[in-house]
Amino acid sequence: MPEALAGAPVREWLNVEVAKPSHPRVDMLARLEDGRLYQLELQTTNDPQMARRMLEYFVLFSGQYSEIPFSK
């Protein structure tokens, strides 16, 4: 049946549990005078995983605060 949905034979079944960091923490998060959330991440080197981490923060904050923080 999965082959019919995916359009190809299944090579292997993968673990469905997703590892979740126990305490994700951003560098800085502020509520500005105009009411918006502002997120600031500080780096000393280029981090190839930064885009993925920012996406995770986006999802977490949009759930916790019901809004999306911005950053520059």
Side-chain angles (χ1 to χ4, degrees):
M1 172 99 131
E3 290 85 355
L5 295 173
V10 173
R11 179 186 304 164
E12 65 178 308
W13 290 102
L14 305 175
N15 185 352
V16 296
E17 293 182 16
V18 178
K20 180 180 178 186
S22 58
H23 299 289
R25 184 170 290 146
V26 299
D27 291 336
M28 300 177 129
L29 182 66
R31 171 78 63 197
L32 302 180
E33 285 290 328
D34 63 8
R36 295 179 298 161
L37 282 179
Y38 176 70
Q39 178 187 351
L40 178 64
E41 292 297 315
L42 306 169
Q43 305 179 210
T44 57
T45 60
N46 186 20
D47 181 359
Q49 297 299 314
M50 192 59 163
R52 181 191 54 79
R53 285 186 16 225
M54 293 299 284
L55 178 61
E56 289 174 356
Y57 299 150
F58 172 92
V59 171
L60 290 171
F61 290 135
S62 64
Q64 183 171 343
Y65 295 103
S66 298
E67 61 186 288
I68 301 164
F70 80 96
S71 59
K72 289 185 178 183

